[in-house]
Amino acid sequence: MKASTVNINKSIQAISVYLVHRISEEEHCSEEVALKKLLKTMTYELLQDSNSELYAESPEYVWSMLQDEEDGDFESWTKVW
């Protein structure tokens, strides 16, 4: 069964909120600063693309991808996709 657009959007939103909280905690910055940082990432861009189905992964999984991207470990990042 294919996920509905509403469910996909809710999942993307929930993962995005999780990522903003984690960035804010890890970098000791405001959520506004964390959101601006997240919006500039390839991981977030991929999350927004419903065809990637990244929305179906756990927030922790997406966080790990974001960490790989931030660390410049594109080999690990691209192995996922």
Side-chain angles (χ1 to χ4, degrees):
M1 176 164 66
K2 185 152 172 74
S4 73
T5 302
V6 171
N7 288 339
I8 291 170
N9 290 340
K10 285 182 180 181
S11 181
I12 291 170
Q13 182 180 15
I15 293 170
S16 298
V17 167
Y18 175 85
L19 295 174
V20 167
H21 286 299
R22 286 292 302 263
I23 294 168
S24 178
E25 288 175 2
E26 296 284 327
E27 299 193 8
H28 306 288
C29 63
S30 70
E31 290 188 354
E32 181 179 341
V33 169
L35 176 60
K36 287 178 183 178
K37 180 173 182 165
L38 176 63
L39 293 175
K40 296 176 185 177
T41 66
M42 291 185 302
T43 302
Y44 181 75
E45 187 176 329
L46 189 61
L47 178 62
Q48 294 298 307
D49 180 1
S50 62
N51 292 325
S52 75
E53 297 185 351
L54 190 56
Y55 63 84
E57 300 293 342
S58 72
E60 294 82 9
Y61 181 87
V62 182
W63 171 253
S64 176
M65 284 185 64
L66 187 61
Q67 291 303 109
D68 287 342
E69 179 182 351
E70 185 175 294
D71 294 342
D73 188 357
F74 292 102
E75 187 175 327
S76 291
W77 192 87
T78 56
K79 280 182 183 176
V80 176
W81 300 102

